[in-house]
Amino acid sequence: MDQSTSLSAHARRTRAITLVGLAVLATAIAVFGPVDTVLKMLSMPMREPGWYVWVATFNGVVLLTVAALPLAALALWALARRRSAAGSTSAWRMSLAEVGIVYGTVPWVWITMLPGEGAGVVPGRVSLVPLRDLIAILDDGATGQIVGNLLVFVALGFLAPLRFAALASVPRILALAAGCSVLIEVAQYVLRLDRVSSVDDVLLNAAGAGLAALASRRWWRAAAETSSDRPRPAPVPGR
């Protein structure tokens, strides 16, 4: 390989790395707000090194999520290409749904399981009166907590009906999200994470998933109708 070829390859690699970096930053800005806020948020784990900061703080989880975006894109491409090679007619839709469910749900669940300052010391707390915590949050003006709870299972609610025909129903998505949310609340209580296991969290998690399912309804209903319209192979007569 001559020097010009080597320089050209190096330039392509540099350009690819730059484009990926810009894509990650653009995604973070779109999700989390202004540039200065995003940069401050993402730089915190770097200013305070340590595994705990990376995996047990909100900023650390956000940074790892943004950094994993290129890996998610690569996984999507690999899955879709494999399915396309196998002759699948919905390779990209299925692959996007699978990767999107994982990438859009795991970080939110991870954040809900982050320990508080009194984790392991403060006993678990339970709130089973519907809407009581929600009213208290609204009185305090902490609407960000409500939005966060609504977003936990949005990716699941939006994409699961597109991937799994058995989940192509808003009531089923509501039931699935509520069941998953109950498991999270029970885990918070059992692990003594210094969090309140609240029925309102379950209601908000399920509501977010249900609204997302309604938002994608036109696509998963169309996919279901297309699937039902396909001719089915005639049964083989018995011999």
Side-chain angles (χ1 to χ4, degrees), residues 44-210:
M44 190 274 283
M46 299 178 184
R47 288 185 282 106
E48 302 178 19
W51 69 268
Y52 179 85
V53 176
W54 287 91
V55 302
T57 65
F58 176 81
N59 287 7
V61 175
V62 169
L63 179 56
L64 290 178
T65 302
V66 174
L69 179 60
L71 295 178
L74 180 61
L76 168 60
W77 174 81
L79 284 173
R81 184 178 180 184
R82 181 177 180 181
R83 285 193 169 111
S84 296
S88 173
T89 58
S90 55
W92 283 98
R93 177 176 61 83
M94 294 175 64
S95 302
L96 177 61
E98 291 172 356
V99 174
I101 289 171
V102 175
Y103 184 80
T105 304
V106 171
W108 289 108
V109 174
W110 190 349
I111 288 172
T112 65
M113 298 300 292
L114 293 179
E117 295 181 357
V121 178
V122 177
R125 290 159 291 170
V126 179
S127 177
L128 298 178
V129 179
L131 304 182
R132 183 175 65 182
D133 292 338
L134 182 58
I135 294 173
I137 291 172
L138 290 174
D139 289 340
D140 292 339
T143 55
Q145 185 175 346
I146 295 176
V147 174
N149 277 319
L150 287 171
L151 292 175
V152 172
F153 292 119
V154 160
L156 178 69
F158 191 92
L159 296 170
L162 292 170
R163 175 59 182 87
F164 305 103
L167 294 176
S169 162
V170 174
R172 292 177 184 178
I173 288 294
L174 287 171
L176 175 62
C180 292
S181 183
V182 168
L183 291 177
I184 291 174
E185 299 302 312
V186 171
Q188 290 176 347
Y189 178 83
V190 172
L191 298 176
R192 300 174 66 182
L193 297 178
D194 189 20
R195 286 176 171 267
V196 178
S197 299
S198 172
V199 67
D200 286 348
D201 289 346
V202 176
L203 296 176
L204 288 172
N205 293 164

